[in-house]
Amino acid sequence: MKIALLNAINEEFEMLPEAFGGPVNIEEVTQAEDELKVKLPEDFKQFLLKYGSGAVSEAIVLGLREAEFVATPSFVEKSLQFRSKGYENFVVIGIDGAGNPIGFNYPYTEIMTFDFNFGEKEIIATSFEEYLEQAIREELNLHF
């Protein structure tokens, strides 16, 4: 990830570390990849390793550690839950306020949301890194 983005996330982490789940090790990430049968994008992996999960401005990022102040269930559990509803290769990295999943459809890395009410999908970022950049700039327009 870009240095400026990492610095912005670090600032948020320093202000409220309880909004992040805490670092995980590479073995945990590899286990998650094996369970989901995917290769996670490097930018998402980097986030997981350093922060575990967390609130990055207007985005709540699911991960492998539960944050104290923010509901951040396991992205593996949420992915498996949505896959059981027919979203076969979808990896959930967040849930919007209406309960719609936010994530990527492996092997692609564009971040999208599925709207259950209208049956539509929308690409909201070309990568996880871009998704976080939009969150920092408060450009996502997602309602959590």
Side-chain angles (χ1 to χ4, degrees):
M1 283 192 273
K2 296 174 190 157
I3 298 296
L5 176 59
L6 288 172
N7 289 339
I9 297 170
N10 283 333
E11 284 180 27
E12 294 201 12
F13 176 78
E14 289 171 11
M15 286 190 306
L16 192 61
E18 297 86 358
F20 293 83
V24 301
N25 60 49
I26 192 66
E27 290 81 16
E28 292 172 282
V29 173
T30 302
Q31 181 179 354
E33 288 179 316
D34 291 346
E35 192 169 347
L36 294 174
K37 296 176 178 62
V38 300
K39 177 89 171 127
L40 296 173
E42 288 302 316
D43 49 5
F44 185 55
K45 249 195 246 193
Q46 187 177 3
F47 181 87
L48 291 174
L49 290 168
K50 186 161 183 155
Y51 303 105
S53 67
V56 178
S57 192
E58 65 178 1
I60 307 297
V61 180
L62 306 184
L64 294 170
R65 292 265 190 283
E66 183 84 27
E68 185 179 341
F69 286 0
V70 181
T72 53
S74 163
F75 84 94
V76 175
E77 291 172 18
K78 284 295 179 185
S79 296
L80 292 173
Q81 178 184 16
F82 280 104
R83 286 179 177 192
S84 72
K85 297 177 181 178
Y87 301 95
E88 189 173 320
N89 295 315
F90 198 69
V91 177
V92 178
I93 64 162
I95 308 291
D96 72 11
N100 298 313
I102 299 165
F104 61 93
N105 205 29
Y106 181 79
Y108 306 103
T109 59
E110 296 95 354
I111 304 300
M112 63 179 67
T113 185
F114 284 97
D115 187 319
F116 290 140
N117 296 325
F118 300 104
E120 297 176 356
K121 69 178 182 178
E122 177 186 0
I123 294 175
I124 54 178
T126 59
S127 66
F128 179 70
E129 181 174 26
E130 183 181 292
Y131 175 72
L132 292 180
E133 288 173 331
Q134 289 179 19
I136 293 287
R137 293 189 308 260
E138 299 182 355
E139 297 174 349
L140 287 176
N141 297 318
L142 298 174
H143 303 285
F144 291 96

